[in-house]
Amino acid sequence: MTSIASAPPYYENHGFHPENIYSTRQPVGANPYPPFSTNIPSVPSYVPRVATHQSSRPVAHSSGRTCTSTVKKIIIIILSILLVICCAIAAFFIWYFVENRCLGSLIECGSSGVCMPPSQWCDGVSHCPNGEDETRCVRLFGPDFILEVYSPISKSWYPVCQDDWNDNYGRIACKDMGYNADTYYYSRGVAAEGSFKSYMKLNTSAGDIDLYKKLYSSDSCASGKVVSLRCIDCGLSTRSVNIMSRIVGGSGAVLGQWPWQVSLHAQGIHVCGGSIITRQWIVTAAHCVEGRFSDPYSWRAFAGILNQNEMFLRDGYRVQQIISHPDYDTDSKDNDIALMKLETPLTFTDTIRPVCLPNPGMMFQPNQQCWISGWGAEYQGGKTSNNLNYVMVPLIERSRCNSIYIYNGMILPTMICAGYLGGGIDSCQGDSGGPLVTNKNSVWWLVGDTSWGTGCASPNRPGVYGNMTVFTDWIYKNMQANR
Ligand code: ARG
């Protein structure tokens, strides 16, 4: 075994990069330019002489005149091409403005036409002309999905009192988190724990105004119940796991057991895993979509299928957009998370379903039982597995994982370790981007996305996963900005 102290920082897992999937060879005859010949004179040797007006000049000058008219023609052609391009650009902008109003991943401040980057929403500092970036901040807190609204005045989050609350308000709050109205699940009142001192309450006499303008903070809540909001029916698996029961050292999955798991193919080959979070959004790892893998059009997502050989016969879902975390770092694997938006929404069935994103305030215990799944190699250096495998891995405390004999300080707050220090069971190449999930309150939560590890299943080298809880907020903001 190599000494850890002297070993240079070494990553096995800078993405799973199959060879030869992109050929850079140019097809024969693809050169758009005709072969250059030195025999071709730069001025046409024969120019038809057509007198367009009376001229008393000697014939010798006429070739100069035809030359100017050719130049004129060229200028006219260029100008008309430019005009067409300008019109197309203008049409695009008009369309974009009518459709989205804000370019790219920007969120509009109300309907003011002012646009803000997602990072400036709900950051405690007001940027929008009317402060919209701080006045419609909602989140779901803890394992019971308690709806909380941010008060820019007291700079804190308040649970919403169930009194006078209804599904229409629930839909508005879900929309402000980036969910579509068609997946809305329910709003229900749950007994407020003693820990809540203040609430947000609805001012029912306020009339037909914006939900957030109707909310005011209050120390009392008559029903004693707070709103529990589910924007999507997530985290349900119709097949329970066989806890006794490859990944490395795992078992073959059955259909519907990990219904959020997708296989992501680039140029027709399985490259990474991913997790369904809505009908259109997939969570994966940033290192999966780096460099030449950053083009959405080279990807296809396969959902509800266990075997790779079945996928080769199907079309898969096209990817419309890829959003990689802006602070992702290739070397340290800091912020190893990305979002993929599908061109057409998935239809949810027993075998295709979303997993729940972890809410802030969710505590995962050290040693908490989690499950990983994927088509990754079944041993280090092996090839992609044909069938989906899964295995249970316990979480490992960050301080422990960062100890000198494990990863010696390489585990950043955006990462979480899971696996066995004895080795033998782990995720491996090809599992990246895929889910690390846990079951709590009868719901499956996405705890992490498979990111890296030194080798696979080696002693004292557990798997490292993106720490999803720290990304939930980034995910919601980006779903909202790109709805
Ligand atoms: N980076 C790998 C991939 O692209 C995943 C590696 C996980 N490694 C581990 N030892 N757990 O598929």
Side-chain angles (χ1 to χ4, degrees), residues 74-98:
I74 291 173
I75 290 175
I76 289 171
I77 290 171
I78 290 176
L79 283 180
S80 9
I81 291 173
L82 281 179
L83 192 74
V84 170
I85 293 174
C86 288
C87 287
I89 293 174
F92 172 78
F93 274 100
I94 292 169
W95 168 79
Y96 211 101
F97 200 70
V98 171

mmCIF file of all heavy atoms in Angstrom, residues 74-98:
data_model
loop_
_atom_site.group_PDB
_atom_site.id
_atom_site.type_symbol
_atom_site.label_atom_id
_atom_site.label_comp_id
_atom_site.label_asym_id
_atom_site.label_seq_id
_atom_site.Cartn_x
_atom_site.Cartn_y
_atom_site.Cartn_z
ATOM 1 N N ILE A 74 -21.431 43.627 -55.385
ATOM 2 C CA ILE A 74 -20.972 42.909 -54.182
ATOM 3 C C ILE A 74 -21.432 43.645 -52.925
ATOM 4 O O ILE A 74 -21.966 43.054 -51.988
ATOM 5 C CB ILE A 74 -19.431 42.736 -54.204
ATOM 6 C CG1 ILE A 74 -19.071 41.738 -55.317
ATOM 7 C CG2 ILE A 74 -18.916 42.229 -52.858
ATOM 8 C CD1 ILE A 74 -17.594 41.590 -55.578
ATOM 9 N N ILE A 75 -21.264 44.993 -52.967
ATOM 10 C CA ILE A 75 -21.671 45.799 -51.802
ATOM 11 C C ILE A 75 -23.158 45.635 -51.537
ATOM 12 O O ILE A 75 -23.589 45.422 -50.403
ATOM 13 C CB ILE A 75 -21.297 47.281 -52.015
ATOM 14 C CG1 ILE A 75 -19.766 47.421 -51.950
ATOM 15 C CG2 ILE A 75 -21.954 48.174 -50.953
ATOM 16 C CD1 ILE A 75 -19.241 48.789 -52.268
ATOM 17 N N ILE A 76 -23.948 45.666 -52.640
ATOM 18 C CA ILE A 76 -25.408 45.510 -52.478
ATOM 19 C C ILE A 76 -25.736 44.155 -51.866
ATOM 20 O O ILE A 76 -26.527 44.055 -50.927
ATOM 21 C CB ILE A 76 -26.129 45.709 -53.837
ATOM 22 C CG1 ILE A 76 -26.048 47.195 -54.227
ATOM 23 C CG2 ILE A 76 -27.592 45.258 -53.764
ATOM 24 C CD1 ILE A 76 -26.509 47.514 -55.622
ATOM 25 N N ILE A 77 -25.068 43.119 -52.376
ATOM 26 C CA ILE A 77 -25.325 41.759 -51.853
ATOM 27 C C ILE A 77 -24.982 41.703 -50.365
ATOM 28 O O ILE A 77 -25.770 41.242 -49.541
ATOM 29 C CB ILE A 77 -24.531 40.700 -52.648
ATOM 30 C CG1 ILE A 77 -25.134 40.580 -54.061
ATOM 31 C CG2 ILE A 77 -24.548 39.340 -51.942
ATOM 32 C CD1 ILE A 77 -24.335 39.738 -55.015
ATOM 33 N N ILE A 78 -23.774 42.248 -50.020
ATOM 34 C CA ILE A 78 -23.347 42.228 -48.614
ATOM 35 C C ILE A 78 -24.340 42.982 -47.748
ATOM 36 O O ILE A 78 -24.763 42.498 -46.693
ATOM 37 C CB ILE A 78 -21.914 42.811 -48.469
ATOM 38 C CG1 ILE A 78 -20.915 41.831 -49.103
ATOM 39 C CG2 ILE A 78 -21.564 43.055 -47.000
ATOM 40 C CD1 ILE A 78 -19.486 42.322 -49.129
ATOM 41 N N LEU A 79 -24.763 44.179 -48.257
ATOM 42 C CA LEU A 79 -25.708 44.984 -47.473
ATOM 43 C C LEU A 79 -27.024 44.241 -47.264
ATOM 44 O O LEU A 79 -27.576 44.246 -46.170
ATOM 45 C CB LEU A 79 -25.959 46.331 -48.163
ATOM 46 C CG LEU A 79 -24.839 47.354 -47.989
ATOM 47 C CD1 LEU A 79 -25.185 48.655 -48.718
ATOM 48 C CD2 LEU A 79 -24.569 47.653 -46.504
ATOM 49 N N SER A 80 -27.492 43.558 -48.336
ATOM 50 C CA SER A 80 -28.767 42.853 -48.147
ATOM 51 C C SER A 80 -28.623 41.691 -47.169
ATOM 52 O O SER A 80 -29.506 41.433 -46.361
ATOM 53 C CB SER A 80 -29.382 42.373 -49.460
ATOM 54 O OG SER A 80 -28.509 42.519 -50.511
ATOM 55 N N ILE A 81 -27.456 41.021 -47.222
ATOM 56 C CA ILE A 81 -27.232 39.921 -46.262
ATOM 57 C C ILE A 81 -27.240 40.472 -44.846
ATOM 58 O O ILE A 81 -27.902 39.945 -43.947
ATOM 59 C CB ILE A 81 -25.906 39.180 -46.568
ATOM 60 C CG1 ILE A 81 -26.047 38.395 -47.889
ATOM 61 C CG2 ILE A 81 -25.533 38.235 -45.433
ATOM 62 C CD1 ILE A 81 -24.760 37.753 -48.374
ATOM 63 N N LEU A 82 -26.519 41.616 -44.670
ATOM 64 C CA LEU A 82 -26.471 42.244 -43.339
ATOM 65 C C LEU A 82 -27.863 42.612 -42.862
ATOM 66 O O LEU A 82 -28.214 42.410 -41.699
ATOM 67 C CB LEU A 82 -25.580 43.491 -43.372
ATOM 68 C CG LEU A 82 -24.070 43.217 -43.327
ATOM 69 C CD1 LEU A 82 -23.303 44.519 -43.393
ATOM 70 C CD2 LEU A 82 -23.707 42.458 -42.045
ATOM 71 N N LEU A 83 -28.683 43.143 -43.817
ATOM 72 C CA LEU A 83 -30.037 43.555 -43.468
ATOM 73 C C LEU A 83 -30.860 42.359 -42.977
ATOM 74 O O LEU A 83 -31.533 42.427 -41.950
ATOM 75 C CB LEU A 83 -30.713 44.192 -44.690
ATOM 76 C CG LEU A 83 -32.012 44.921 -44.385
ATOM 77 C CD1 LEU A 83 -31.718 46.236 -43.673
ATOM 78 C CD2 LEU A 83 -32.796 45.176 -45.665
ATOM 79 N N VAL A 84 -30.725 41.245 -43.720
ATOM 80 C CA VAL A 84 -31.463 40.025 -43.334
ATOM 81 C C VAL A 84 -31.024 39.571 -41.947
ATOM 82 O O VAL A 84 -31.858 39.258 -41.084
ATOM 83 C CB VAL A 84 -31.232 38.904 -44.388
ATOM 84 C CG1 VAL A 84 -31.771 37.570 -43.875
ATOM 85 C CG2 VAL A 84 -31.895 39.277 -45.701
ATOM 86 N N ILE A 85 -29.685 39.583 -41.698
ATOM 87 C CA ILE A 85 -29.167 39.153 -40.394
ATOM 88 C C ILE A 85 -29.724 40.048 -39.285
ATOM 89 O O ILE A 85 -30.199 39.582 -38.257
ATOM 90 C CB ILE A 85 -27.617 39.145 -40.390
ATOM 91 C CG1 ILE A 85 -27.120 38.040 -41.336
ATOM 92 C CG2 ILE A 85 -27.074 38.935 -38.980
ATOM 93 C CD1 ILE A 85 -25.614 38.007 -41.536
ATOM 94 N N CYS A 86 -29.685 41.398 -39.554
ATOM 95 C CA CYS A 86 -30.189 42.356 -38.552
ATOM 96 C C CYS A 86 -31.657 42.087 -38.247
ATOM 97 O O CYS A 86 -32.069 42.084 -37.093
ATOM 98 C CB CYS A 86 -30.014 43.787 -39.041
ATOM 99 S SG CYS A 86 -28.302 44.290 -39.013
ATOM 100 N N CYS A 87 -32.449 41.850 -39.320
ATOM 101 C CA CYS A 87 -33.879 41.583 -39.133
ATOM 102 C C CYS A 87 -34.060 40.336 -38.272
ATOM 103 O O CYS A 87 -34.885 40.323 -37.357
ATOM 104 C CB CYS A 87 -34.581 41.388 -40.474
ATOM 105 S SG CYS A 87 -34.782 42.920 -41.360
ATOM 106 N N ALA A 88 -33.263 39.285 -38.573
ATOM 107 C CA ALA A 88 -33.385 38.030 -37.825
ATOM 108 C C ALA A 88 -33.065 38.266 -36.353
ATOM 109 O O ALA A 88 -33.782 37.802 -35.464
ATOM 110 C CB ALA A 88 -32.455 36.981 -38.422
ATOM 111 N N ILE A 89 -31.982 39.033 -36.096
ATOM 112 C CA ILE A 89 -31.594 39.321 -34.702
ATOM 113 C C ILE A 89 -32.695 40.104 -34.005
ATOM 114 O O ILE A 89 -33.108 39.775 -32.887
ATOM 115 C CB ILE A 89 -30.238 40.071 -34.651
ATOM 116 C CG1 ILE A 89 -29.122 39.121 -35.140
ATOM 117 C CG2 ILE A 89 -29.942 40.568 -33.246
ATOM 118 C CD1 ILE A 89 -27.764 39.789 -35.267
ATOM 119 N N ALA A 90 -33.227 41.120 -34.715
ATOM 120 C CA ALA A 90 -34.285 41.939 -34.120
ATOM 121 C C ALA A 90 -35.502 41.077 -33.807
ATOM 122 O O ALA A 90 -36.078 41.168 -32.715
ATOM 123 C CB ALA A 90 -34.664 43.070 -35.073
ATOM 124 N N ALA A 91 -35.862 40.186 -34.756
ATOM 125 C CA ALA A 91 -37.024 39.309 -34.550
ATOM 126 C C ALA A 91 -36.798 38.414 -33.345
ATOM 127 O O ALA A 91 -37.693 38.216 -32.516
ATOM 128 C CB ALA A 91 -37.263 38.463 -35.797
ATOM 129 N N PHE A 92 -35.547 37.906 -33.217
ATOM 130 C CA PHE A 92 -35.231 37.039 -32.087
ATOM 131 C C PHE A 92 -35.418 37.781 -30.765
ATOM 132 O O PHE A 92 -36.033 37.280 -29.832
ATOM 133 C CB PHE A 92 -33.782 36.527 -32.199
ATOM 134 C CG PHE A 92 -33.316 35.786 -30.975
ATOM 135 C CD1 PHE A 92 -33.703 34.472 -30.754
ATOM 136 C CD2 PHE A 92 -32.512 36.409 -30.020
ATOM 137 C CE1 PHE A 92 -33.292 33.785 -29.626
ATOM 138 C CE2 PHE A 92 -32.100 35.734 -28.883
ATOM 139 C CZ PHE A 92 -32.489 34.412 -28.691
ATOM 140 N N PHE A 93 -34.888 39.024 -30.731
ATOM 141 C CA PHE A 93 -35.002 39.798 -29.491
ATOM 142 C C PHE A 93 -36.452 40.108 -29.155
ATOM 143 O O PHE A 93 -36.849 40.032 -28.008
ATOM 144 C CB PHE A 93 -34.167 41.082 -29.563
ATOM 145 C CG PHE A 93 -32.750 40.845 -29.149
ATOM 146 C CD1 PHE A 93 -31.743 40.688 -30.093
ATOM 147 C CD2 PHE A 93 -32.405 40.739 -27.817
ATOM 148 C CE1 PHE A 93 -30.433 40.439 -29.719
ATOM 149 C CE2 PHE A 93 -31.099 40.491 -27.421
ATOM 150 C CZ PHE A 93 -30.108 40.339 -28.373
ATOM 151 N N ILE A 94 -37.247 40.445 -30.172
ATOM 152 C CA ILE A 94 -38.666 40.735 -29.929
ATOM 153 C C ILE A 94 -39.346 39.484 -29.360
ATOM 154 O O ILE A 94 -40.010 39.523 -28.336
ATOM 155 C CB ILE A 94 -39.373 41.208 -31.223
ATOM 156 C CG1 ILE A 94 -38.827 42.585 -31.611
ATOM 157 C CG2 ILE A 94 -40.889 41.250 -31.045
ATOM 158 C CD1 ILE A 94 -39.223 43.056 -32.990
ATOM 159 N N TRP A 95 -39.064 38.326 -30.011
ATOM 160 C CA TRP A 95 -39.640 37.069 -29.542
ATOM 161 C C TRP A 95 -39.197 36.788 -28.094
ATOM 162 O O TRP A 95 -39.996 36.458 -27.234
ATOM 163 C CB TRP A 95 -39.197 35.933 -30.457
ATOM 164 C CG TRP A 95 -39.493 34.579 -29.894
ATOM 165 C CD1 TRP A 95 -40.694 33.937 -29.903
ATOM 166 C CD2 TRP A 95 -38.589 33.716 -29.197
ATOM 167 N NE1 TRP A 95 -40.585 32.722 -29.261
ATOM 168 C CE2 TRP A 95 -39.298 32.556 -28.815
ATOM 169 C CE3 TRP A 95 -37.228 33.807 -28.855
ATOM 170 C CZ2 TRP A 95 -38.720 31.510 -28.120
ATOM 171 C CZ3 TRP A 95 -36.653 32.756 -28.167
ATOM 172 C CH2 TRP A 95 -37.387 31.622 -27.802
ATOM 173 N N TYR A 96 -37.882 36.953 -27.859
ATOM 174 C CA TYR A 96 -37.348 36.648 -26.538
ATOM 175 C C TYR A 96 -37.968 37.541 -25.477
ATOM 176 O O TYR A 96 -38.309 37.116 -24.385
ATOM 177 C CB TYR A 96 -35.822 36.812 -26.543
ATOM 178 C CG TYR A 96 -35.156 35.869 -25.586
ATOM 179 C CD1 TYR A 96 -34.553 34.708 -26.042
ATOM 180 C CD2 TYR A 96 -35.156 36.126 -24.210
ATOM 181 C CE1 TYR A 96 -33.958 33.817 -25.167
ATOM 182 C CE2 TYR A 96 -34.558 35.231 -23.336
ATOM 183 C CZ TYR A 96 -33.967 34.087 -23.816
ATOM 184 O OH TYR A 96 -33.387 33.210 -22.945
ATOM 185 N N PHE A 97 -38.155 38.819 -25.833
ATOM 186 C CA PHE A 97 -38.681 39.782 -24.871
ATOM 187 C C PHE A 97 -40.135 39.456 -24.530
ATOM 188 O O PHE A 97 -40.539 39.492 -23.380
ATOM 189 C CB PHE A 97 -38.556 41.200 -25.424
ATOM 190 C CG PHE A 97 -38.613 42.226 -24.338
ATOM 191 C CD1 PHE A 97 -37.568 42.354 -23.441
ATOM 192 C CD2 PHE A 97 -39.720 43.046 -24.200
ATOM 193 C CE1 PHE A 97 -37.632 43.290 -22.415
ATOM 194 C CE2 PHE A 97 -39.783 43.984 -23.192
ATOM 195 C CZ PHE A 97 -38.734 44.106 -22.297
ATOM 196 N N VAL A 98 -40.889 39.080 -25.578
ATOM 197 C CA VAL A 98 -42.291 38.730 -25.352
ATOM 198 C C VAL A 98 -42.381 37.433 -24.541
ATOM 199 O O VAL A 98 -43.144 37.314 -23.594
ATOM 200 C CB VAL A 98 -43.036 38.588 -26.710
ATOM 201 C CG1 VAL A 98 -44.424 38.021 -26.516
ATOM 202 C CG2 VAL A 98 -43.103 39.940 -27.400
#
